[in-house]
């Protein structure tokens, strides 16, 4: 749970999962885990997009050389 929270999973989503686990509701727990996996998938996709955007930016070395010439 801590790792999920630190990864940015909201408290509401984690609370729903905990409630499902506490009540031994396997179907609901599975549904909540599926929802959490979707959140993680979307975050990974967003990070991959950001990484691709950052890769197109000039490196610090080339920026420093241009700015100091």
């Amino acid at each position: 749970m801590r790792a999920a929270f630190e990864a940015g999973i909201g408290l509401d989503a984690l609370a729903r999962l905990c409630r499902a686990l506490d009540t031994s509701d396997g179907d609901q727990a599975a549904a909540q885990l599926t929802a959490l996996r979707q959140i993680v998938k979307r975050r990974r996709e967003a990070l991959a997009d950001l990484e691709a955007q950052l890769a197109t930016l000039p490196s610090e070395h080339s920026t420093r050389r241009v700015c100091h010439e």
Side-chain angles (χ1 to χ4, degrees), residues 32-61:
Q32 294 305 318
L33 286 171
T34 298
L36 293 180
R37 286 186 190 101
Q38 289 300 314
I39 292 169
V40 169
K41 180 182 175 189
R42 286 192 302 271
R43 298 248 170 129
R44 285 182 179 156
E45 290 168 351
L47 287 173
D49 289 343
L50 177 59
E51 185 175 18
Q53 291 173 14
L54 292 175
T56 65
L57 296 176
S59 69
E60 180 181 339
H61 175 70

